[in-house]
Amino acid sequence: MLELDGLSVTYRLASGDVPAVRGVSLSIAAGEAVGLAGESGSGKSTVALSILRLLPRTARIDGRILLDGEDVVAMNWGRLRAVRWSGASIVFQGAQHGLNPVRRIGDQIAEPLLVHRLASASQAAVRVRELLEQVGLPAWRARSYPHELSGGQRQRVMIAMALACSPQLIIADEPTTALDLMVQAQVLTLIRHLIASEDIALLMISHDLSVLADVCDRLAVMYAGRLVETGPAASGFKHPYSQALSAAFPTVGDPASRLAPRGLAGDPPDPAELPGGCSFHPRCPVALESCATSPVELRPAGDDRLAACVLVEEKC
Ligand code: SF4
């Protein structure tokens, strides 16, 4: 359904080129849910936005983005407009900013159906009611304005909009980050249910590996614009960065983990000034001397897993 083949994104700024994404290759089959994780600035949202070419004009995309076999990078604007919403749609983090505050939510959910000429006005009204019920909202909410809904309800509306044109792929960029834990759990349950029942492919972006593991079949981890690990969500990580990322969350009921969190020291590197060798080496707790000079590519790590670390072969 989606294949990223050597995807690179470079922002051309007055101060020089900034490589935000470097050679990412990743595929998602129909009905499969893949999670993309990493710290802020790792390039995961840039990957998400590049799939529907939603990046600013300063961004240059290299490589191929195949959506159901068709290269998004090569599409003309007419074809791209047709593919947005109907081929793939996106759910953003902040529903408050994703919805028009002066339009009723029913009109906003109906808009892609009408723009794509997939329904008449009366058919769209029926579909809006169906979609609202599908995401757990009463049909009468179609007449509400965004400010009349809670944060969780607004995020459900965003999901209803994403489903409106029956896309084959949904990209969810931090869809629950702005929600409290209880509402987050409800929205994750909803996403899980919809993906399974509608046979939709899902690319879900988050910095929170536990959220991704809850929903996704496979996880991919990015660091400094590159994939450093991909593998089944059900088995453990092998790359030192992925392991540190998954261990960074304190354990409820364990004061030791709160007082001494096991996160990483330091910050991710500036994409404009990436360190040589393995980009992670300045923060890696198990780095070898050679890691500062020898680049490392993704390599098989067993269990249908790839990891970009020189120590992985020793662990296989
Ligand atoms: Fe750490 Fe070296 Fe592995 Fe990079 S290649 S993750 S620096 S051990």
Side-chain angles (χ1 to χ4, degrees):
M1 182 50 56
L2 175 71
E3 186 175 351
L4 307 178
D5 180 13
L7 173 67
S8 294
V9 179
T10 306
Y11 291 107
R12 290 165 296 180
L13 307 181
S15 54
D17 286 359
V18 176
V21 173
R22 302 179 291 143
V24 167
S25 295
L26 185 70
S27 59
I28 306 178
E32 187 183 27
V34 173
L36 189 56
E39 291 169 286
S40 296
S42 61
K44 55 191 190 306
S45 288
T46 296
V47 168
L49 295 175
S50 69
I51 294 167
L52 287 174
R53 282 178 40 199
L54 295 169
L55 295 167
R57 287 174 186 271
T58 53
R60 188 185 74 225
I61 299 177
D62 295 303
R64 293 193 307 165
I65 302 169
L66 299 176
L67 187 59
D68 203 13
E70 196 175 353
D71 192 350
V72 175
V73 180
M75 285 179 188
N76 61 33
W77 281 108
R79 180 63 190 145
L80 188 60
R81 281 170 62 90
V83 162
R84 288 175 176 170
W85 293 107
S86 57
S89 59
I90 187 162
V91 178
F92 294 105
Q93 176 182 343
Q96 177 73 24
H97 308 293
L99 295 170
N100 186 331
V102 296
R103 294 187 67 204
R104 297 182 196 276
I105 62 164
D107 294 338
Q108 298 187 57
I109 297 171
E111 186 173 341
L113 287 165
L114 298 174
V115 168
H116 285 268
R117 299 194 177 141
L118 295 174
S120 65
S122 58
Q123 288 169 333
V126 172
R127 176 82 174 129
V128 166
R129 288 197 290 275
E130 283 173 7
L131 287 163
L132 285 173
E133 284 169 3
Q134 204 174 354
V135 297
L137 291 173
W140 61 264
R141 275 298 187 189
R143 297 189 52 74
S144 300
Y145 289 94
H147 73 272
E148 296 175 303
L149 304 178
S150 68
Q153 289 172 324
R154 283 194 290 266
Q155 199 58 298
R156 287 169 187 264
V157 171
M158 293 291 286
I159 294 170
M161 288 173 72
L163 290 169
C165 297
S166 304
Q168 295 148 313
L169 170 72
I170 289 183
I171 303 155
D173 188 5
E174 305 265 10
T176 59
T177 302
L179 305 176
D180 66 60
L181 283 178
M182 297 302 284
V183 180
Q184 173 176 288
Q186 292 169 5
V187 172
L188 290 177
T189 302
L190 171 66
I191 291 174
R192 245 191 336 261
H193 168 72
L194 290 173
I195 295 304
S197 62
E198 303 286 317
D199 204 27
I200 297 169
L202 172 73
L203 176 63
M204 188 161 161
I205 318 288
S206 179
H207 63 277
D208 187 338
L209 281 165
S210 62
V211 165
L212 296 179
D214 202 17
V215 174
C216 300
D217 309 305
R218 278 194 301 134
L219 300 181
V221 180
M222 289 187 73
Y223 186 79
R226 303 192 80 160
L227 281 182
V228 295
E229 183 159 10
T230 65
S235 59
F237 290 115
K238 294 195 172 177
H239 192 283
Y241 174 66
S242 315
Q243 290 172 338
L245 198 63
S246 65
F249 295 91
T251 306
V252 175
D254 176 9
S257 76
R258 184 171 64 87
L259 297 172
R262 293 167 289 169
L264 279 168
D267 297 312
D270 181 342
E273 295 177 21
L274 292 169
C278 171
S279 302
F280 184 54
H281 83 264
R283 302 170 76 195
C284 181
V286 291
L288 309 177
E289 206 170 305
S290 61
C291 296
T293 50
S294 305
V296 54
E297 302 294 330
L298 285 170
R299 57 184 69 184
D303 188 25
D304 198 20
R305 179 168 297 279
L306 298 173
C309 174
V310 289
L311 297 182
V312 159
E313 281 178 333
E314 295 173 17
K315 292 178 184 173
C316 282

